[in-house]
Amino acid sequence: MKYSFSDRVQNLKPSAIREIFKYSANPEYIALSAGNPAPDAFPVEAIAEISQKLLIESPISVLQYGTTEGYLPLRNFLISYLGERLLYKQKDSLLITSGAQQAMDLLTKSVLNKNDVVLCEAPSFIGSLNSFRSFQANLVGVEVESDGVNIDKLEAALQTHKNIKYFYTIPNFQNPSGVTMSLAKRKKVYELCRQYGVLILEDNPYGDLRFAGEEVPAIKTFDEDGIVVYVGSFSKVIAPGIRVGYVAAPEELVSKMVVCKQGEDVHTNMWGQIVCHEFMTKYDFSAHIKNLQQIYRRKAQILTDAMEKYLRPKQIKWNAIEGGLFAWCTLPEQIDMYEYIQKALAEKVCVVPGTAFLTDENQPCSSFRINFSTPTDEQLLLGIERLGSLL
Ligand SMILES: Cc1ncc(COP(=O)(O)O)c(C=O)c1O
């Protein structure tokens, strides 16, 4: 049978990362291409303990349907947790989602019409870009610099484009560039978006994974005008497989997202939500975060030392790594990035081409992304040594 697909999705392609996964699943390859938490970052024993207790003592709470808005104790806990950090405002409401990814999807479904504009950082997280694309958004990329989005270009984009629905930003340890937006830029972004009547979608899955430098307040903390949709996730601080994220946003927006979620998955899985709640309230969550920071600090140091030794002499540059899971490397101008990445694959090293993260993959780009959380120390060293030897 010849299948025909909807206008919404017929031009969607599998992401370049998925394609690279075909190689990286092969144990002969050194996969610096993943985006997963480190294998030793999972609180396995606590999750097993909580799950066993739940299934023995209150199985129906885990196995029964739940409400779309989310497991009430977790919602209430998050409202006060975020409230203390000024990430939850008086007119906000909170929805638990199936990962942060679903929050992106639900906001887009709620506010975007075909060809409406979404302003995105360039580069940006491919999962979100593909979600926006599936709603036929017109994606407009705005360059990211070492301290966050280029403000002049953001302002120019706000002036130029009609029907902009929101500006999508990952202000902490951005995926893929690893960049953190400065406080001054966050304030400016807020002011500009307020002035132009554009929402801000602030996606913050990596904020807790800071292992160097000073924490910068979220854009949501300035939100007195109800324009910031703040998205958080347990994927990088507990486990991505449990698929629990959340969104704090003005009540009117969240109500619409709740209706949209009902048509997608009714509610986020109960086991995952209860595990998150129990883990945050009955275990030492802040000690767990400190442990994660230590794990990633150590990994990032190994990577940085290797890059200094093998990549710096070859004029490959990278942004300083203060948190998150990624390093963003830029090749010298005369080197063709695709050719370089093909050569790396021939040497059995997988990295992700920077173009995969652009709103338009045909734009020039001489950068690639490295993940340092999943490879072993030996793989990191060997992988970077091979990347250096290619030039
Ligand atoms: C910037 C960013 N946002 C959202 C997500 C999706 O997170 P979740 O697993 O909570 O859906 C990721 C996952 O890697 C990400 O890097």
Side-chain angles (χ1 to χ4, degrees):
M1 165 152 191
K2 189 169 177 340
Y3 299 103
S4 69
F5 292 100
S6 69
D7 292 346
R8 280 181 53 198
V9 301
Q10 68 174 341
N11 291 325
L12 291 185
K13 293 177 289 191
S15 81
I17 298 185
R18 299 272 152 212
E19 292 299 294
I20 290 202
F21 274 166
K22 284 182 197 154
Y23 294 97
S24 50
N26 180 339
E28 282 178 24
Y29 282 74
I30 297 177
L32 306 181
S33 46
N36 299 343
D40 51 345
F42 294 76
V44 177
E45 276 176 27
I47 295 176
E49 213 171 71
I50 296 167
S51 304
Q52 192 180 23
K53 195 160 175 272
L54 276 173
L55 285 167
I56 290 169
E57 290 177 13
S58 51
I60 303 308
S61 65
V62 197
L63 301 175
Q64 188 55 282
Y65 278 118
T67 54
T68 306
E69 288 82 353
Y71 175 60
L72 193 59
L74 179 63
R75 282 189 75 216
N76 287 340
F77 175 81
L78 281 174
I79 288 170
S80 74
Y81 182 86
L82 296 174
E84 282 163 22
R85 290 157 181 78
L86 304 178
L87 297 171
Y88 188 87
K89 304 290 176 178
Q90 220 182 0
K91 292 185 182 146
D92 280 349
S93 182
L94 187 123
L95 167 66
I96 312 280
T97 53
S98 296
Q101 181 72 44
Q102 191 184 39
M104 258 59 88
D105 175 272
L106 292 175
L107 177 72
T108 315
K109 197 182 242 184
S110 301
V111 303
L112 193 120
N113 290 315
K114 183 179 172 184
N115 294 332
D116 280 348
V117 171
V118 174
L119 298 181
C120 308
E121 292 165 333
S124 186
F125 171 53
I126 194 163
S128 297
L129 299 185
N130 276 342
S131 170
F132 307 153
R133 286 183 179 118
S134 75
F135 292 98
Q136 296 174 293
N138 175 9
L139 300 184
V140 174
V142 186
E143 185 192 333
V144 171
E145 302 167 315
S146 59
D147 61 346
V149 68
N150 179 310
I151 293 292
D152 292 339
K153 291 188 178 164
L154 178 65
E155 183 158 21
L158 285 162
Q159 276 168 358
T160 312
H161 296 279
K162 301 270 174 292
N163 302 331
I164 303 175
K165 283 295 153 75
Y166 51 84
F167 169 52
Y168 172 60
T169 177
I170 308 156
N172 293 312
F173 320 118
Q174 205 240 23
N175 180 4
S177 69
V179 159
T180 291
M181 199 191 296
S182 67
L183 179 59
K185 283 197 170 179
R186 290 178 195 220
K187 288 185 173 161
K188 199 73 200 157
V189 164
Y190 183 80
E191 267 319 303
L192 281 172
C193 289
R194 192 185 59 76
Q195 187 186 332
Y196 285 88
V198 165
L199 293 170
I200 298 169
L201 176 54
E202 181 173 26
D203 181 16
N204 188 23
Y206 301 107
D208 284 327
L209 303 184
R210 173 180 282 285
F211 46 75
E214 289 295 307
E215 192 174 327
V216 189
I219 302 173
K220 182 70 181 172
T221 61
F222 321 136
D223 189 20
E224 299 310 323
D225 305 275
I227 63 165
V228 183
V229 175
Y230 180 83
V231 177
S233 172
F234 290 104
S235 286
K236 304 299 185 305
V237 291
I238 298 185
I242 62 178
R243 307 305 306 132
V244 184
Y246 51 89
V247 50
E251 207 268 326
E252 222 180 311
L253 282 175
V254 171
S255 301
K256 193 57 84 184
M257 291 166 79
V258 168
V259 181
C260 292
K261 184 172 163 71
Q262 279 161 357
E264 292 189 0
D265 60 357
V266 186
H267 63 80
T268 300
N269 95 67
M270 292 303 293
W271 166 78
Q273 294 189 72
I274 302 177
V275 166
C276 289
H277 178 250
E278 293 284 302
F279 188 68
M280 287 197 84
T281 54
K282 306 222 171 96
Y283 289 74
D284 192 344
F285 187 65
S286 63
H288 170 70
I289 295 292
K290 283 203 183 91
N291 180 43
L292 296 186
Q293 291 165 346
Q294 246 169 29
I295 291 173
Y296 294 125
R297 182 182 298 116
R298 198 185 71 79
K299 283 284 194 195
Q301 193 58 52
I302 291 172
L303 172 66
T304 309
D305 292 347
M307 293 196 300
E308 286 293 348
K309 185 166 171 192
Y310 298 113
L311 303 191
R312 175 88 65 203
K314 305 293 173 81
Q315 275 74 52
I316 295 180
K317 296 190 180 129
W318 61 91
N319 295 324
I321 314 169
E322 295 197 325
L325 310 180
F326 305 109
W328 182 247
C329 296
T330 302
L331 291 161
E333 238 169 56
Q334 69 279 13
I335 306 295
D336 182 286
M337 189 263 296
Y338 273 114
E339 226 173 83
Y340 179 79
I341 281 177
Q342 289 308 321
K343 278 193 194 166
L345 276 178
E347 291 296 319
K348 298 198 162 37
V349 181
C350 309
V351 296
V352 189
T355 42
F357 306 99
L358 298 179
T359 53
D360 172 4
E361 289 189 17
N362 297 317
Q363 280 166 350
C365 177
S366 51
S367 301
F368 58 92
R369 190 190 75 177
I370 288 180
N371 161 262
F372 58 83
S373 54
T374 43
T376 62
D377 299 355
E378 294 71 30
Q379 285 173 326
L380 261 181
L381 286 170
L382 189 58
I384 300 301
E385 185 180 354
R386 287 189 194 165
L387 287 178
S389 69
L390 297 176
L391 288 186

